[in-house]
Amino acid sequence: MLQVEDLDAGYGESLAVHAVSLHVDGGEAVAVIGSNGAGKTTLLRAICGLLRPRAGTVTFNSESLVGEPAHRIARRGVAYVPAERHLFPAMSVQENLELGAYPLRADRRQLELVFELFPRLRDLLSQQAGTMSGGEQQMLAVGRALMSRPGLLMLDEPTTGLAPILAEEAYASLGVLRGEGTTVLVAEQQVPLALDLADRAYVIEDGRIQMEGPAGDLQGNPDVRRAYMGIA
Amino acid sequence: MAVVFDGVAYGLQLGLLAVGLTMIYGLGGVLNLAHGQFAVLAAIAIAVLSDRLPTPAALVAGLAIAALAALATDATIMRAVYRLDGEARVLLSLLLTIGLAFVIDGLLIYNYPFTQLKLSVPGPAVDILGVPMRRGSLAASALALSALALLIVFLRYTRRGRAVRSVIQDEEGAQLCGIDPARVRTAVFALSGALAGLAAVAEGLTSSVSATDGTELTILALIVTVVGGLGSVAGALLAGLLLGLVYTMSQVYIGTYVTLVILLLTAMVTILIRPAGLLGRGV
């Protein structure tokens, strides 16, 4: 579904991502794990068009995404939930969700699916997004992304700013989505949560992929455990 | 009472003059210092065309000309502006649009030195709550009020209006929803030209507009925009009403010659108390 080959990307003079190759197949959940500053965000931004890749190819459903502006990549079915969420703070939950479906026009059924996943959003429908708690904003950000019925849901650190229990809840809802067959690519430094969710994972350090494999294998890998899971 | 009515009437006009400017700022962080010149362009076009066309047709054509001039501006000099970010973007927008303002001023003053837009609504004054109001002033208020109401309905309740607000509130979020900020900016730039033209029509109904008025209108729009909060449509409306009341009251009770000074003082005091303007950011 998504195929990234030898991608270079970065801001200014330096490259934050070097020759990264990865792929995500339909229905798969894939995690990109690594510490802060490893290049995860740059990688996702280069895929969704918010940052133009310096080199390499990105293909989605066998169409090239390189050089396409972000709004067109979104219309092609790649939904991106940034760590800072980028909600519309002075708009209601309902308006935020409806804008998520902007190219398709809002769809009642899709709205119901989002409410099934996040019943809390139904109660907050007329609340302004900027006045909600971090956990609620995270739900809304994922809900807004789902409104476009994306082929691929990409999330950057969905646990940012969330208390541990809310982080677990966020991953529980991603687990539900995965169970329903949504294709997910998540970048995360809370490695245990991400590896529990994912089928496969890539370990990224200094902008390069260091390791890749089934999530279960990486969970048992002593290097990964030491570096990211706080286990000696 | 009469002063209050006149103040509200003028305030609505100021609000109408400023909304376009504030939306453009909200969308792209740029200021258009040729805003008043677009208004005058529409006014002169209407005045010239109404010799040949029936008034309604001349009005529509004048507004269309202002919108097209704005569109041309967006397609040329604003392209260069939007390529930059942050402070450089604001600065370049100021430099290029002030240049554009000089060009439009020069062309209009050279070609139409004596043309004036003066629209009269014949008939005796209408009594409103015991205050006799001139028909022209009422028509101007009705025009400004309905244009502003339509704009607010568009922004709040239509799909495209929401897209405009989404770019103002979070450009990256809008892109992620499949909205093209550049297209939204272009459409709103054209709309702001037409709105400036409408403000000139309202001005023409209450007094007159001539080719030399561009700079004054730009400055008025700028003051209203800054007092209301850059990027806030509701703020522009509120600030328009506040400054309209201050303007007419100071004209009646203090004197015309210090009115502009008092207007600027009001703006300064407001900004000192609330640096982000009355309604800060958000639509």
Side-chain angles (χ1 to χ4, degrees):
Chain A
M1 177 175 264
L2 178 76
Q3 194 87 34
V4 177
E5 299 280 355
D6 291 324
L7 187 80
D8 286 354
Y11 295 90
E13 296 287 291
S14 60
L15 284 183
V17 165
H18 299 270
V20 164
S21 298
L22 61 79
H23 67 98
V24 182
D25 297 332
E28 236 188 347
V30 173
V32 176
I33 57 178
S35 46
N36 208 359
K40 303 187 297 296
T41 301
T42 308
L43 171 63
L44 293 194
R45 288 176 69 86
I47 293 172
C48 76
L50 288 169
L51 177 67
R52 188 183 269 266
R54 297 284 179 74
T57 59
V58 180
T59 47
F60 179 66
N61 291 336
S62 47
E63 286 179 309
S64 170
L65 298 185
V66 173
E68 289 281 300
H71 70 270
R72 242 183 249 146
I73 292 179
R75 285 175 178 234
R76 293 245 185 112
V78 178
Y80 175 52
V81 182
E84 320 79 44
R85 294 168 192 133
H86 288 282
L87 296 170
F88 308 119
M91 285 197 230
S92 68
V93 166
Q94 179 163 4
E95 287 176 303
N96 269 277
L97 289 173
E98 285 177 4
L99 278 163
Y102 183 79
L104 312 166
R105 283 146 215 273
D107 179 333
R108 191 73 226 170
R109 263 178 317 167
Q110 197 61 19
L111 205 58
E112 285 303 321
L113 287 178
V114 170
F115 291 151
E116 237 166 74
L117 188 64
F118 302 117
R120 181 100 186 96
L121 291 182
R122 196 199 296 272
D123 307 329
L124 295 170
L125 212 52
S126 52
Q127 178 135 358
Q128 286 212 336
T131 65
M132 303 197 307
S133 72
E136 290 161 353
Q137 292 195 7
Q138 176 57 29
M139 291 178 201
L140 181 54
V142 175
R144 187 180 72 180
L146 290 173
M147 286 299 290
S148 63
R149 288 188 244 166
L152 170 66
L153 179 64
M154 293 202 303
L155 305 103
D156 186 17
E157 309 241 356
T159 56
T160 301
L162 298 187
I165 178 119
L166 290 174
E168 275 175 40
E169 271 177 36
Y171 267 88
S173 42
L174 293 181
V176 173
L177 283 173
R178 185 196 153 216
E180 289 167 355
T182 307
T183 310
V184 178
L185 175 61
V186 62
E188 187 57 85
Q189 50 176 334
Q190 304 230 25
V191 172
L193 283 173
L195 290 182
D196 272 344
L197 173 81
D199 300 300
R200 289 187 303 111
Y202 296 84
V203 179
I204 185 168
E205 274 314 319
D206 295 326
R208 291 188 169 83
I209 302 284
Q210 303 291 354
M211 246 185 276
E212 60 176 286
D217 291 2
L218 291 173
Q219 270 172 328
N221 182 301
D223 291 340
V224 172
R225 290 168 76 87
R226 200 176 316 114
Y228 302 110
M229 297 165 84
I231 304 162
Chain B
M1 197 63 175
V3 183
V4 174
F5 278 15
D6 281 341
V8 169
Y10 188 53
L12 288 170
Q13 285 180 42
L14 285 178
L16 184 60
L17 182 65
V19 279
L21 195 65
T22 209
M23 279 197 290
I24 292 172
Y25 183 84
L27 284 171
V30 300
L31 282 168
N32 173 21
L33 293 186
H35 192 69
Q37 276 71 14
F38 287 149
V40 172
L41 181 65
I44 298 299
I46 293 166
V48 170
L49 289 172
S50 50
D51 291 343
R52 275 158 251 179
L53 297 172
T55 311
L59 285 172
V60 172
L63 297 181
I65 286 170
L68 285 174
L71 212 53
T73 308
D74 181 78
T76 52
I77 64 179
M78 297 314 280
R79 276 289 143 79
V81 169
Y82 290 130
R83 228 170 272 144
L84 302 177
D85 280 317
E87 229 167 84
R89 183 189 275 193
V90 190
L91 280 176
L92 189 65
S93 78
L94 292 174
L95 288 173
L96 291 181
T97 57
I98 207 167
L100 178 68
F102 283 134
V103 170
I104 297 178
D105 267 347
L107 287 172
L108 289 179
I109 294 168
Y110 181 77
N111 288 304
Y112 305 99
F114 305 115
T115 307
Q116 272 197 337
L117 179 68
K118 212 174 169 105
L119 298 159
S120 55
V121 184
V126 181
D127 198 74
I128 298 209
L129 298 174
V131 179
M133 295 288 286
R134 282 161 49 224
R135 281 175 189 248
S137 174
L138 285 178
S141 301
L143 177 72
L145 202 56
S146 37
L148 289 166
L150 274 178
L151 180 68
I152 287 169
V153 167
F154 166 71
L155 290 173
R156 297 239 147 226
Y157 301 111
T158 69
R159 187 171 159 270
R160 283 172 198 284
R162 276 188 191 145
V164 173
R165 283 162 65 216
S166 78
V167 178
I168 293 179
Q169 290 182 23
D170 195 310
E171 183 170 337
E172 190 170 314
Q175 285 175 285
L176 295 175
C177 290
I179 295 162
D180 181 359
R183 257 182 71 176
V184 170
R185 280 197 281 266
T186 300
V188 170
F189 215 93
L191 179 67
S192 86
L195 287 169
L198 266 186
V201 171
E203 177 91 7
L205 282 164
T206 48
S207 56
S208 67
V209 184
S210 58
T212 50
D213 289 343
T215 305
E216 190 191 334
L217 290 176
T218 296
I219 290 172
L220 280 174
L222 210 55
I223 295 172
V224 175
T225 301
V226 171
V227 168
L230 283 161
S232 167
V233 170
L237 189 49
L238 196 65
L241 288 172
L242 171 75
L243 296 174
L245 282 167
V246 169
Y247 185 89
T248 42
M249 284 190 180
S250 108
Q251 260 195 336
V252 170
Y253 297 119
I254 303 171
T256 311
Y257 59 98
V258 284
T259 290
L260 202 59
V261 176
I262 289 176
L263 206 59
L264 285 164
L265 280 176
T266 314
M268 279 164 65
V269 170
T270 319
I271 294 161
L272 282 174
I273 299 171
R274 291 185 62 92
L278 293 174
L279 295 185
R281 212 165 145 85
V283 190

